[in-house]
Amino acid sequence: MPADLIVGIDLGTTNSLIGAMDAGFPILLADAEGRRLTPSVVYFPESGEPVVGRAAEPSRTRAPERTVYSVKRLMGTRTGEVDTADLSYRTGGAAGGPARVRIGAEERSPEEISALVLKKLKADAERALGAAVSRAVVTVPAYFNDAQRQATKTAGELAGLHVERIINEPTAAALAYGLDKLGDRSKIAVYDLGGGTFDISILELNAGVFQVLSTNGNTRLGGDDIDTALAEHLARQLAAMVPEFNLNPASPALRAEARRVKIELSDATETQARIDYKNHRTLFTRLTRAEFESVVLPVVEKTRSHCLRALADAKLAPGELDAVILVGGATRMPLVRALVAEIFGREPDTSQNPDEAVALGATIQAGILSGAVRGVVLLDITPLSLGIETFGGLTNVIIPRNTTIPTKAGEMFTNAVAGQRTVRIHVVQGEREKAADNWTLGAFELDFTAGTRGSARVGVQFEIDTDGILHVLARDTKTGEEKVVEMRSAVDVSDAQVEQMIAESVDHAFEDYHARLLVETQLKSREMLPAVRHALELAGAALPIDARANIDALTAEVAAALEGEDLERLKAANAALDAGTQELATLLMEQAMDEALERRGVV
Ligand code: AMP
């Protein structure tokens, strides 16, 4: 094996896979038992080494409190941010700190647990390849934020893998489908319905370069919900047959049977569900595909609105797509395929194994990096806007949502108060106007030379690297004093909250617009009041008494309006004070002219 060997890894919520290029082809590597799918499950026995993968699966029912699954949901999140009520194991971590998993008296980070899955994949790959593996490309959902990407990278490093590149799952899938061979400006939809999550992404291929145009989805929607709906249906059917047999739809046996029936009905049009009853008797119930589909249709239908939103965000009509591809095991269901065909007005391409497409794509990307594959470059986008907090608590966006990365953008800021010596750079992510409504990625302070209000010049630059990691640079342009902060420990937003943020920004659009106007108008008032006071002092007795009284009244009205939140009243008060001080402004201007002329000895 060449020294520049790089593996591709799909680190999934339910299953993970690893691949490598072999003689110019991407291949997925199997474990010692010949299986390519490794369950992302880790069992921590009371004593001894953790058990990883398929061997840990039975512990999910035997030792649910010590068996960790779906840890991807916790990666890069803070405590309380992700709903953990449905997990069989306990979570912990300090309030507001990084989310952790609690096993007995011990706590472990999601990164450590993912690292155990990655270590197993690495060991399996090394056995299959007969060579050491130390470099990898790892995939993440397109909506993963900076903290979640960083956590994924950390997990890789903990497993002894240098993560060369983090790439988006839909981009990887498109590569696996060979969509890099499509014509220029091709538009592709990637519909990914896995066990527990649904993602829809719209990509554009432009001169051999992939860009993610938009993403949408639901982090709590997938094949598991189909199992739940079917298990409930089967429980009802069996209860009708044997009323005294009170079957819990959540029982592992019934769920497993529902899942088996579901998978069978992807090929067969009719099957039987079997449930053990007391005294070794078994109950049978017949189920047609049509019946099954009517039971699970509400679950599958939920994906429609996300697809429509992704299309709208990409500003595309379904007819403008050149390809629709399917990822995730649940897309094997004929009902899902029919719905996708209906939404997008074209048959989806089903030529790839939907469980393996992402891992194959990661492997192709690894091949591109190591030089084994040539001619394709991948670009991704920022799922949420990134900015900093400015005067009045407003968000100043520096990199808007859906910007292609890598990217760099900057802005110049100044001091709000005279004599200020430090500026706090509060980095936020989100779509809301007020910084407090967005999520904090981090904050730091920069010292600068004190001066009059507005005299400081602080340049702030945001740079997002190819892995989607944000580096923030702040520099006092006068002294050259600067700080570069990598938003590395930035554990903040969860995947579910990304969706929520976008929905909220739409829901609160009007209110946010109003809030921004109010803050801006308040800032204007706060600037005017001291300026008018200063001008009155300068004018002294030169200003007629009634004019002064009028300005005092207008000033009092601005101050009073500032106490409340009535935007219209404040705007009117500002405008009135503006108009009412014209005479004063003219007077001061004349005074200044006279003084200047006097100084020059003209008068
Ligand atoms: P993934 O997360 O991509 O591994 O997807 C796993 C999900 O796909 C689970 O809910 C499986 O039950 C489901 N699945 C796998 N194969 C099939 C199939 N042939 N028909 C329907 N669902 C399937």
Side-chain angles (χ1 to χ4, degrees):
M1 273 292 153
D4 56 0
L5 169 73
I6 307 177
V7 291
I9 297 177
D10 170 7
L11 183 60
T13 307
T14 324
N15 291 300
S16 297
L17 298 98
I18 188 164
M21 293 300 293
D22 186 10
F25 291 100
I27 52 149
L28 296 181
L29 304 168
D31 62 11
E33 286 83 48
R35 302 213 165 134
R36 294 188 294 208
L37 230 56
T38 295
S40 308
V41 180
V42 182
Y43 163 53
F44 295 92
E46 297 276 356
S47 62
E49 291 299 303
V51 181
V52 184
R54 199 161 306 275
E57 284 263 272
S59 310
R60 284 189 62 170
T61 43
R62 277 193 231 133
E65 291 210 336
R66 305 190 69 88
T67 311
V68 183
Y69 57 92
S70 294
V71 77
K72 187 169 173 176
R73 270 166 54 185
L74 299 176
M75 293 282 275
T77 67
R78 285 186 187 276
T79 54
E81 217 170 56
V82 182
D83 180 12
T84 51
D86 61 328
L87 297 174
S88 67
Y89 52 91
R90 291 197 299 157
T91 53
R100 292 173 75 78
V101 171
R102 195 175 297 170
I103 306 290
E106 279 178 38
E107 275 194 0
R108 289 167 197 269
S109 69
E111 290 91 324
E112 281 171 68
I113 297 170
S114 292
L116 292 171
V117 175
L118 290 170
K119 250 186 206 161
K120 167 159 169 56
L121 294 172
K122 176 177 184 282
D124 286 340
E126 288 177 338
R127 195 196 46 78
L129 296 167
V133 169
S134 61
R135 302 166 71 194
V137 167
V138 184
T139 59
V140 295
Y143 57 76
F144 251 30
N145 67 27
D146 195 52
Q148 292 166 310
R149 286 166 195 266
Q150 188 59 55
T152 306
K153 219 173 167 180
T154 304
E157 314 282 327
L158 289 174
L161 288 168
H162 180 66
V163 180
E164 300 282 337
R165 185 76 58 99
I166 297 273
I167 69 165
N168 286 335
E169 288 161 9
T171 306
L175 267 183
Y177 272 87
L179 299 184
D180 48 313
K181 316 282 183 306
L182 284 179
D184 259 8
R185 305 205 75 87
S186 299
K187 314 278 192 307
I188 302 147
V190 182
Y191 180 104
D192 180 351
L193 189 63
T197 58
F198 170 63
D199 297 315
I200 174 76
S201 312
I202 312 285
L203 311 180
E204 184 183 46
L205 180 69
N206 195 358
V209 171
F210 276 112
Q211 294 188 29
V212 182
L213 297 182
S214 67
T215 69
N216 213 289
N218 183 335
T219 49
R220 295 297 170 78
L221 179 64
D224 297 346
D225 300 288
I226 292 170
D227 300 349
T228 305
L230 183 57
E232 284 168 359
H233 173 77
L234 292 176
R236 277 193 302 272
Q237 267 200 335
L238 294 168
M241 288 161 66
V242 192
E244 73 278 11
F245 184 30
N246 193 6
L247 192 57
N248 178 3
S251 79
L254 185 56
R255 285 192 64 88
E257 182 58 5
R259 185 181 150 100
R260 191 195 62 76
V261 164
K262 166 189 80 173
I263 291 176
E264 204 160 298
L265 287 176
S266 283
D267 293 319
T269 52
E270 194 177 325
T271 189
Q272 265 187 335
R274 295 181 288 268
I275 287 294
D276 289 336
Y277 185 44
K278 56 186 168 191
N279 305 330
H280 305 293
R281 279 167 56 202
T282 303
L283 291 174
F284 290 92
T285 175
R286 214 177 57 91
L287 198 73
T288 64
R289 185 190 284 169
E291 240 179 295
F292 163 71
E293 291 187 342
S294 71
V295 171
V296 303
L297 181 66
V299 179
V300 176
E301 261 295 331
K302 282 189 187 164
T303 64
R304 184 193 295 269
S305 60
H306 296 292
C307 294
L308 297 180
R309 250 191 271 162
L311 280 169
D313 276 355
K315 299 188 179 59
L316 290 178
E320 291 175 80
L321 292 172
D322 300 286
V324 177
I325 62 173
L326 299 178
V327 179
T331 62
R332 288 206 178 86
M333 285 171 52
L335 177 66
V336 171
R337 295 185 174 187
L339 182 85
V340 173
E342 188 211 316
I343 296 172
F344 296 103
R346 64 182 305 131
E347 286 302 320
D349 179 342
T350 55
S351 62
Q352 292 298 308
N353 181 334
D355 293 319
E356 298 183 345
V358 170
L360 276 180
T363 303
I364 295 170
Q365 172 65 22
I368 294 169
L369 289 181
S370 66
V373 178
R374 288 176 202 284
V376 193
V377 190
L378 299 183
L379 291 185
D380 289 330
I381 54 149
T382 53
L384 291 173
S385 302
L386 293 159
I388 66 171
E389 178 174 347
T390 60
F391 302 150
L394 293 176
T395 303
N396 189 313
V397 171
I398 295 190
I399 299 178
R401 166 175 146 72
N402 283 349
T403 300
T404 303
I405 61 169
T407 186
K408 211 191 259 188
E411 243 174 81
M412 203 62 96
F413 294 90
T414 186
N415 55 326
V417 182
Q420 192 179 337
R421 291 191 171 275
T422 61
V423 61
R424 183 167 180 266
I425 309 286
H426 176 199
V427 181
V428 296
Q429 183 171 35
E431 307 311 309
R432 304 291 301 276
E433 293 282 1
K434 283 185 172 169
D437 290 329
N438 288 320
W439 299 309
T440 298
L441 274 189
F444 61 93
E445 302 217 324
L446 182 79
D447 295 331
F448 58 74
T449 24
T452 53
R453 180 175 184 279
S455 64
R457 289 281 171 274
V458 178
V460 174
Q461 188 185 65
F462 277 22
E463 182 176 1
I464 306 181
D465 65 20
T466 46
D467 293 332
I469 307 284
L470 174 66
H471 307 261
V472 179
L473 175 144
R475 179 187 290 136
D476 177 351
T477 55
K478 281 193 184 154
T479 60
E481 159 94 17
E482 71 172 30
K483 257 189 200 166
V484 183
V485 177
E486 195 173 312
M487 296 288 124
R488 175 174 283 279
S489 61
V491 276
D492 328 90
V493 277
S494 76
D495 36 10
Q497 281 177 305
V498 173
E499 290 160 27
Q500 198 189 332
M501 165 60 72
I502 293 165
E504 274 177 10
S505 72
V506 175
D507 292 348
H508 296 280
F510 183 75
E511 194 182 303
D512 276 8
Y513 176 67
H514 182 271
R516 173 174 280 275
L517 272 187
L518 181 65
V519 169
E520 284 173 354
T521 313
Q522 286 169 337
L523 285 173
K524 182 163 187 230
S525 309
R526 295 205 173 95
E527 274 173 20
M528 277 169 76
L529 289 178
V532 170
R533 206 177 312 124
H534 184 60
L536 284 175
E537 279 166 20
L538 283 181
L543 188 71
I545 290 182
D546 53 344
R548 180 177 291 266
N550 183 38
I551 292 175
D552 283 344
L554 294 171
T555 308
E557 168 57 10
V558 171
L562 257 181
E563 299 285 312
E565 300 234 308
D566 184 344
L567 174 63
E568 291 311 317
R569 178 179 174 195
L570 189 60
K571 265 177 28 186
N574 278 353
L577 181 60
D578 215 8
T581 48
Q582 287 305 322
E583 191 188 341
L584 174 61
T586 314
L587 182 84
L588 288 178
M589 181 85 80
E590 281 167 1
Q591 266 186 5
M593 289 277 270
D594 288 349
E595 276 167 24
L597 292 175
E598 227 169 88
R599 269 202 306 275
R600 288 196 211 159
V602 180
V603 183

